[in-house]
Amino acid sequence: MLTLLLALVFPIRCAGQPPIPVTAQSVGYELLEDAAASAQIEMFGDFSCDETAAAWGNIVKPLLETFQTGGLSLIFRPFPLPYHHNSFDAAQSARAIIEHLSSNNNSVAKAAFVVADAFFTQQTRFMSWQTPNPTANMTQSEVITTIFADIAVSVGMPRTSFQQAVGVGWNTNANGPFSPTRDAWKYAAARGVCSTPTFTANGVFSEALDDWDIAAWTDWIQAANAASHQVYAETEQIHAQS
Ligand SMILES: *[C@@H]1O[C@H](CO)[C@@H](O)[C@H](O)[C@H]1NC(C)=O
Ligand SMILES: *[C@@H]1O[C@H](CO)[C@@H](O)[C@H](O)[C@H]1NC(C)=O
């Protein structure tokens, strides 16, 4: 009865109320940053989801290449699915490696790209629902200290620095990767994401986006920029007339 009363007086905080992210970067990595772009894409992805890896290769990488000089802002938001049981540790590990590389004179965008690419490329080493599951007989700490540490080393983070940053994966240290990785998950869950990859186009979720290929995305980005130039030109004209 008391519990019920307390629940009525202090409603349990749940969906829709994720923690306020400490930094924008704690809930997503800006891979392409163009403040003036009229097109913004978010990709919610899981490092051990093969469809996320496919979209990374077929959509994200070509878009980064095509729009590197402007017109697109692209954010990658890690969303580790609970039923891919190495995913949360992959996301924590990736965060630790990105922080290491970006504190060593790389931009966050460059570091996040290199690290995400390495995880997707080496995905079959830790994707847990393969048959046979390559990590079936490994402990959580073995997966981290062998597979994820190898990925860290492959992109230039020393094994010892990686192990200090991630520990055995249950790292509740406020400065470690655990809290922001959890915040990123809550952020996405509160926005209704439940599968990967999930894209937004200028902030909007739409099932139609699941079927867009690189040509469809490119057309949309070009149309968005053309439309905004049109509006800009019309505004200029109004100013010139007044
Ligand atoms: C860091 O980057 C800047 C700008 O690219 C460069 O001038 C500087 O030498 C770099 N420092 C190190 C330690 O690499
Ligand atoms: C895990 O251990 C079981 C039992 O020894 C064995 O049958 C299986 O092949 C092992 N799996 C892998 C991926 O090593």
mmCIF file of all heavy atoms in Angstrom, residues 144-179:
data_model
loop_
_atom_site.group_PDB
_atom_site.id
_atom_site.type_symbol
_atom_site.label_atom_id
_atom_site.label_comp_id
_atom_site.label_asym_id
_atom_site.label_seq_id
_atom_site.Cartn_x
_atom_site.Cartn_y
_atom_site.Cartn_z
ATOM 1 N N ILE A 144 36.644 -8.434 -23.995
ATOM 2 C CA ILE A 144 37.161 -7.061 -23.948
ATOM 3 C C ILE A 144 38.692 -7.041 -24.069
ATOM 4 O O ILE A 144 39.246 -6.293 -24.877
ATOM 5 C CB ILE A 144 36.715 -6.365 -22.644
ATOM 6 C CG1 ILE A 144 35.196 -6.171 -22.672
ATOM 7 C CG2 ILE A 144 37.431 -5.025 -22.466
ATOM 8 C CD1 ILE A 144 34.605 -5.699 -21.356
ATOM 9 N N THR A 145 39.335 -7.889 -23.281
ATOM 10 C CA THR A 145 40.808 -7.770 -23.225
ATOM 11 C C THR A 145 41.512 -8.456 -24.394
ATOM 12 O O THR A 145 42.703 -8.263 -24.580
ATOM 13 C CB THR A 145 41.352 -8.340 -21.891
ATOM 14 O OG1 THR A 145 40.918 -9.701 -21.768
ATOM 15 C CG2 THR A 145 40.854 -7.533 -20.705
ATOM 16 N N THR A 146 40.781 -9.234 -25.182
ATOM 17 C CA THR A 146 41.427 -9.764 -26.392
ATOM 18 C C THR A 146 40.858 -9.055 -27.622
ATOM 19 O O THR A 146 41.545 -8.220 -28.217
ATOM 20 C CB THR A 146 41.274 -11.299 -26.515
ATOM 21 O OG1 THR A 146 39.893 -11.632 -26.498
ATOM 22 C CG2 THR A 146 41.973 -12.011 -25.388
ATOM 23 N N ILE A 147 39.577 -9.318 -27.937
ATOM 24 C CA ILE A 147 39.047 -8.813 -29.215
ATOM 25 C C ILE A 147 39.013 -7.280 -29.265
ATOM 26 O O ILE A 147 39.554 -6.663 -30.192
ATOM 27 C CB ILE A 147 37.630 -9.384 -29.465
ATOM 28 C CG1 ILE A 147 37.705 -10.913 -29.522
ATOM 29 C CG2 ILE A 147 37.061 -8.819 -30.763
ATOM 30 C CD1 ILE A 147 36.352 -11.594 -29.607
ATOM 31 N N PHE A 148 38.404 -6.649 -28.255
ATOM 32 C CA PHE A 148 38.279 -5.190 -28.322
ATOM 33 C C PHE A 148 39.635 -4.509 -28.126
ATOM 34 O O PHE A 148 39.903 -3.470 -28.729
ATOM 35 C CB PHE A 148 37.216 -4.692 -27.331
ATOM 36 C CG PHE A 148 35.833 -5.207 -27.648
ATOM 37 C CD1 PHE A 148 34.898 -5.422 -26.649
ATOM 38 C CD2 PHE A 148 35.467 -5.487 -28.957
ATOM 39 C CE1 PHE A 148 33.621 -5.904 -26.945
ATOM 40 C CE2 PHE A 148 34.202 -5.973 -29.272
ATOM 41 C CZ PHE A 148 33.280 -6.188 -28.258
ATOM 42 N N ALA A 149 40.491 -5.115 -27.307
ATOM 43 C CA ALA A 149 41.843 -4.545 -27.157
ATOM 44 C C ALA A 149 42.600 -4.639 -28.482
ATOM 45 O O ALA A 149 43.329 -3.714 -28.858
ATOM 46 C CB ALA A 149 42.594 -5.262 -26.042
ATOM 47 N N ASP A 150 42.431 -5.739 -29.215
ATOM 48 C CA ASP A 150 43.083 -5.860 -30.536
ATOM 49 C C ASP A 150 42.615 -4.748 -31.476
ATOM 50 O O ASP A 150 43.400 -4.191 -32.242
ATOM 51 C CB ASP A 150 42.714 -7.195 -31.207
ATOM 52 C CG ASP A 150 43.425 -8.393 -30.599
ATOM 53 O OD1 ASP A 150 44.328 -8.197 -29.755
ATOM 54 O OD2 ASP A 150 43.059 -9.533 -30.976
ATOM 55 N N ILE A 151 41.305 -4.452 -31.414
ATOM 56 C CA ILE A 151 40.778 -3.395 -32.294
ATOM 57 C C ILE A 151 41.400 -2.047 -31.896
ATOM 58 O O ILE A 151 41.794 -1.252 -32.749
ATOM 59 C CB ILE A 151 39.233 -3.351 -32.247
ATOM 60 C CG1 ILE A 151 38.678 -4.656 -32.818
ATOM 61 C CG2 ILE A 151 38.703 -2.140 -33.015
ATOM 62 C CD1 ILE A 151 37.146 -4.775 -32.767
ATOM 63 N N ALA A 152 41.525 -1.822 -30.582
ATOM 64 C CA ALA A 152 42.155 -0.576 -30.113
ATOM 65 C C ALA A 152 43.569 -0.460 -30.684
ATOM 66 O O ALA A 152 43.950 0.570 -31.260
ATOM 67 C CB ALA A 152 42.192 -0.549 -28.584
ATOM 68 N N VAL A 153 44.325 -1.552 -30.554
ATOM 69 C CA VAL A 153 45.717 -1.542 -31.030
ATOM 70 C C VAL A 153 45.744 -1.303 -32.543
ATOM 71 O O VAL A 153 46.585 -0.547 -33.048
ATOM 72 C CB VAL A 153 46.416 -2.868 -30.648
ATOM 73 C CG1 VAL A 153 47.774 -2.986 -31.330
ATOM 74 C CG2 VAL A 153 46.548 -2.965 -29.122
ATOM 75 N N SER A 154 44.770 -1.894 -33.260
ATOM 76 C CA SER A 154 44.778 -1.767 -34.727
ATOM 77 C C SER A 154 44.583 -0.326 -35.195
ATOM 78 O O SER A 154 44.959 0.012 -36.312
ATOM 79 C CB SER A 154 43.710 -2.681 -35.349
ATOM 80 O OG SER A 154 42.412 -2.104 -35.213
ATOM 81 N N VAL A 155 44.002 0.531 -34.339
ATOM 82 C CA VAL A 155 43.836 1.933 -34.757
ATOM 83 C C VAL A 155 44.764 2.875 -33.983
ATOM 84 O O VAL A 155 44.619 4.093 -34.058
ATOM 85 C CB VAL A 155 42.361 2.406 -34.638
ATOM 86 C CG1 VAL A 155 41.473 1.633 -35.595
ATOM 87 C CG2 VAL A 155 41.852 2.299 -33.203
ATOM 88 N N GLY A 156 45.695 2.309 -33.224
ATOM 89 C CA GLY A 156 46.732 3.157 -32.630
ATOM 90 C C GLY A 156 46.605 3.468 -31.151
ATOM 91 O O GLY A 156 47.283 4.359 -30.651
ATOM 92 N N MET A 157 45.748 2.744 -30.418
ATOM 93 C CA MET A 157 45.687 2.962 -28.963
ATOM 94 C C MET A 157 46.435 1.817 -28.288
ATOM 95 O O MET A 157 46.118 0.646 -28.522
ATOM 96 C CB MET A 157 44.243 2.969 -28.476
ATOM 97 C CG MET A 157 44.109 3.200 -26.971
ATOM 98 S SD MET A 157 42.348 3.222 -26.479
ATOM 99 C CE MET A 157 42.441 3.872 -24.817
ATOM 100 N N PRO A 158 47.428 2.140 -27.455
ATOM 101 C CA PRO A 158 48.176 1.067 -26.811
ATOM 102 C C PRO A 158 47.263 0.182 -25.951
ATOM 103 O O PRO A 158 46.318 0.672 -25.325
ATOM 104 C CB PRO A 158 49.186 1.813 -25.932
ATOM 105 C CG PRO A 158 49.277 3.188 -26.496
ATOM 106 C CD PRO A 158 47.934 3.470 -27.107
ATOM 107 N N ARG A 159 47.561 -1.106 -25.923
ATOM 108 C CA ARG A 159 46.751 -2.087 -25.192
ATOM 109 C C ARG A 159 46.603 -1.695 -23.714
ATOM 110 O O ARG A 159 45.523 -1.786 -23.147
ATOM 111 C CB ARG A 159 47.426 -3.461 -25.317
ATOM 112 C CG ARG A 159 46.576 -4.649 -24.951
ATOM 113 C CD ARG A 159 47.287 -5.958 -25.328
ATOM 114 N NE ARG A 159 47.360 -6.148 -26.768
ATOM 115 C CZ ARG A 159 46.409 -6.749 -27.497
ATOM 116 N NH1 ARG A 159 45.348 -7.246 -26.916
ATOM 117 N NH2 ARG A 159 46.533 -6.851 -28.799
ATOM 118 N N THR A 160 47.682 -1.217 -23.109
ATOM 119 C CA THR A 160 47.610 -0.883 -21.679
ATOM 120 C C THR A 160 46.667 0.307 -21.440
ATOM 121 O O THR A 160 45.898 0.318 -20.478
ATOM 122 C CB THR A 160 48.999 -0.530 -21.107
ATOM 123 O OG1 THR A 160 49.627 0.359 -22.019
ATOM 124 C CG2 THR A 160 49.853 -1.767 -20.897
ATOM 125 N N SER A 161 46.708 1.297 -22.312
ATOM 126 C CA SER A 161 45.809 2.456 -22.147
ATOM 127 C C SER A 161 44.366 2.006 -22.302
ATOM 128 O O SER A 161 43.471 2.435 -21.571
ATOM 129 C CB SER A 161 46.062 3.543 -23.198
ATOM 130 O OG SER A 161 47.418 3.785 -23.337
ATOM 131 N N PHE A 162 44.146 1.112 -23.271
ATOM 132 C CA PHE A 162 42.784 0.618 -23.492
ATOM 133 C C PHE A 162 42.287 -0.119 -22.254
ATOM 134 O O PHE A 162 41.173 0.100 -21.785
ATOM 135 C CB PHE A 162 42.745 -0.297 -24.720
ATOM 136 C CG PHE A 162 41.406 -0.948 -24.910
ATOM 137 C CD1 PHE A 162 40.347 -0.240 -25.468
ATOM 138 C CD2 PHE A 162 41.187 -2.254 -24.493
ATOM 139 C CE1 PHE A 162 39.097 -0.826 -25.608
ATOM 140 C CE2 PHE A 162 39.940 -2.844 -24.631
ATOM 141 C CZ PHE A 162 38.892 -2.129 -25.188
ATOM 142 N N GLN A 163 43.139 -0.986 -21.714
ATOM 143 C CA GLN A 163 42.697 -1.778 -20.562
ATOM 144 C C GLN A 163 42.433 -0.915 -19.344
ATOM 145 O O GLN A 163 41.510 -1.178 -18.573
ATOM 146 C CB GLN A 163 43.677 -2.920 -20.303
ATOM 147 C CG GLN A 163 43.400 -4.025 -21.325
ATOM 148 C CD GLN A 163 44.376 -5.172 -21.334
ATOM 149 O OE1 GLN A 163 45.347 -5.167 -20.577
ATOM 150 N NE2 GLN A 163 44.126 -6.136 -22.187
ATOM 151 N N GLN A 164 43.230 0.152 -19.194
ATOM 152 C CA GLN A 164 42.974 1.084 -18.094
ATOM 153 C C GLN A 164 41.629 1.769 -18.253
ATOM 154 O O GLN A 164 40.888 1.971 -17.296
ATOM 155 C CB GLN A 164 44.048 2.169 -18.065
ATOM 156 C CG GLN A 164 45.220 1.810 -17.173
ATOM 157 C CD GLN A 164 46.382 2.768 -17.386
ATOM 158 O OE1 GLN A 164 46.202 3.864 -17.931
ATOM 159 N NE2 GLN A 164 47.561 2.359 -16.963
ATOM 160 N N ALA A 165 41.309 2.130 -19.487
ATOM 161 C CA ALA A 165 40.072 2.892 -19.727
ATOM 162 C C ALA A 165 38.814 2.034 -19.593
ATOM 163 O O ALA A 165 37.796 2.505 -19.096
ATOM 164 C CB ALA A 165 40.111 3.530 -21.125
ATOM 165 N N VAL A 166 38.875 0.783 -20.017
ATOM 166 C CA VAL A 166 37.657 -0.033 -20.062
ATOM 167 C C VAL A 166 37.568 -1.036 -18.916
ATOM 168 O O VAL A 166 36.479 -1.472 -18.548
ATOM 169 C CB VAL A 166 37.530 -0.741 -21.436
ATOM 170 C CG1 VAL A 166 36.243 -1.542 -21.525
ATOM 171 C CG2 VAL A 166 37.574 0.277 -22.561
ATOM 172 N N GLY A 167 38.704 -1.401 -18.331
ATOM 173 C CA GLY A 167 38.683 -2.394 -17.265
ATOM 174 C C GLY A 167 38.120 -3.703 -17.785
ATOM 175 O O GLY A 167 38.446 -4.140 -18.879
ATOM 176 N N VAL A 168 37.208 -4.294 -17.012
ATOM 177 C CA VAL A 168 36.589 -5.535 -17.477
ATOM 178 C C VAL A 168 35.151 -5.282 -17.922
ATOM 179 O O VAL A 168 34.344 -6.189 -18.016
ATOM 180 C CB VAL A 168 36.638 -6.642 -16.400
ATOM 181 C CG1 VAL A 168 38.073 -7.083 -16.154
ATOM 182 C CG2 VAL A 168 35.979 -6.175 -15.114
ATOM 183 N N GLY A 169 34.839 -4.022 -18.152
ATOM 184 C CA GLY A 169 33.550 -3.713 -18.751
ATOM 185 C C GLY A 169 32.497 -3.222 -17.771
ATOM 186 O O GLY A 169 31.503 -2.649 -18.181
ATOM 187 N N TRP A 170 32.723 -3.441 -16.497
ATOM 188 C CA TRP A 170 31.754 -2.953 -15.528
ATOM 189 C C TRP A 170 32.407 -1.794 -14.806
ATOM 190 O O TRP A 170 32.771 -1.855 -13.644
ATOM 191 C CB TRP A 170 31.335 -4.069 -14.570
ATOM 192 C CG TRP A 170 30.200 -3.622 -13.696
ATOM 193 C CD1 TRP A 170 30.240 -3.420 -12.350
ATOM 194 C CD2 TRP A 170 28.881 -3.286 -14.099
ATOM 195 N NE1 TRP A 170 29.021 -2.961 -11.914
ATOM 196 C CE2 TRP A 170 28.164 -2.880 -12.962
ATOM 197 C CE3 TRP A 170 28.226 -3.259 -15.348
ATOM 198 C CZ2 TRP A 170 26.834 -2.461 -13.009
ATOM 199 C CZ3 TRP A 170 26.901 -2.844 -15.382
ATOM 200 C CH2 TRP A 170 26.220 -2.459 -14.224
ATOM 201 N N ASN A 171 32.585 -0.754 -15.570
ATOM 202 C CA ASN A 171 33.400 0.356 -15.114
ATOM 203 C C ASN A 171 32.485 1.513 -14.758
ATOM 204 O O ASN A 171 32.085 2.276 -15.617
ATOM 205 C CB ASN A 171 34.351 0.726 -16.258
ATOM 206 C CG ASN A 171 35.282 1.837 -15.887
ATOM 207 O OD1 ASN A 171 35.174 2.409 -14.796
ATOM 208 N ND2 ASN A 171 36.192 2.162 -16.770
ATOM 209 N N THR A 172 32.152 1.622 -13.503
ATOM 210 C CA THR A 172 31.205 2.669 -13.110
ATOM 211 C C THR A 172 31.907 3.982 -12.746
ATOM 212 O O THR A 172 31.265 4.922 -12.316
ATOM 213 C CB THR A 172 30.342 2.207 -11.923
ATOM 214 O OG1 THR A 172 31.213 1.659 -10.946
ATOM 215 C CG2 THR A 172 29.349 1.164 -12.353
ATOM 216 N N ASN A 173 33.205 4.020 -12.924
ATOM 217 C CA ASN A 173 33.964 5.252 -12.731
ATOM 218 C C ASN A 173 33.321 6.383 -13.545
ATOM 219 O O ASN A 173 33.075 6.247 -14.734
ATOM 220 C CB ASN A 173 35.396 4.939 -13.214
ATOM 221 C CG ASN A 173 36.257 6.167 -13.369
ATOM 222 O OD1 ASN A 173 35.820 7.299 -13.139
ATOM 223 N ND2 ASN A 173 37.488 5.933 -13.761
ATOM 224 N N ALA A 174 33.066 7.486 -12.885
ATOM 225 C CA ALA A 174 32.347 8.590 -13.538
ATOM 226 C C ALA A 174 33.062 9.083 -14.796
ATOM 227 O O ALA A 174 32.428 9.614 -15.705
ATOM 228 C CB ALA A 174 32.164 9.725 -12.554
ATOM 229 N N ASN A 175 34.390 8.908 -14.837
ATOM 230 C CA ASN A 175 35.115 9.392 -16.008
ATOM 231 C C ASN A 175 35.306 8.320 -17.080
ATOM 232 O O ASN A 175 35.889 8.570 -18.117
ATOM 233 C CB ASN A 175 36.488 9.940 -15.596
ATOM 234 C CG ASN A 175 36.343 11.081 -14.617
ATOM 235 O OD1 ASN A 175 35.477 11.937 -14.793
ATOM 236 N ND2 ASN A 175 37.158 11.087 -13.566
ATOM 237 N N GLY A 176 34.844 7.118 -16.797
ATOM 238 C CA GLY A 176 35.021 6.034 -17.754
ATOM 239 C C GLY A 176 33.937 6.056 -18.824
ATOM 240 O O GLY A 176 33.038 6.907 -18.797
ATOM 241 N N PRO A 177 34.007 5.110 -19.761
ATOM 242 C CA PRO A 177 33.052 5.112 -20.882
ATOM 243 C C PRO A 177 31.669 4.576 -20.532
ATOM 244 O O PRO A 177 30.747 4.689 -21.322
ATOM 245 C CB PRO A 177 33.733 4.207 -21.916
ATOM 246 C CG PRO A 177 34.581 3.274 -21.111
ATOM 247 C CD PRO A 177 35.022 4.048 -19.894
ATOM 248 N N PHE A 178 31.528 4.002 -19.341
ATOM 249 C CA PHE A 178 30.253 3.359 -19.011
ATOM 250 C C PHE A 178 29.074 4.338 -19.021
ATOM 251 O O PHE A 178 28.070 4.106 -19.703
ATOM 252 C CB PHE A 178 30.373 2.670 -17.637
ATOM 253 C CG PHE A 178 29.103 1.997 -17.208
ATOM 254 C CD1 PHE A 178 28.828 0.694 -17.582
ATOM 255 C CD2 PHE A 178 28.167 2.670 -16.435
ATOM 256 C CE1 PHE A 178 27.646 0.069 -17.195
ATOM 257 C CE2 PHE A 178 26.985 2.056 -16.046
ATOM 258 C CZ PHE A 178 26.730 0.757 -16.426
ATOM 259 N N SER A 179 29.215 5.433 -18.255
ATOM 260 C CA SER A 179 28.066 6.349 -18.112
ATOM 261 C C SER A 179 27.619 6.979 -19.427
ATOM 262 O O SER A 179 26.425 6.962 -19.738
ATOM 263 C CB SER A 179 28.372 7.449 -17.101
ATOM 264 O OG SER A 179 28.607 6.869 -15.856
#
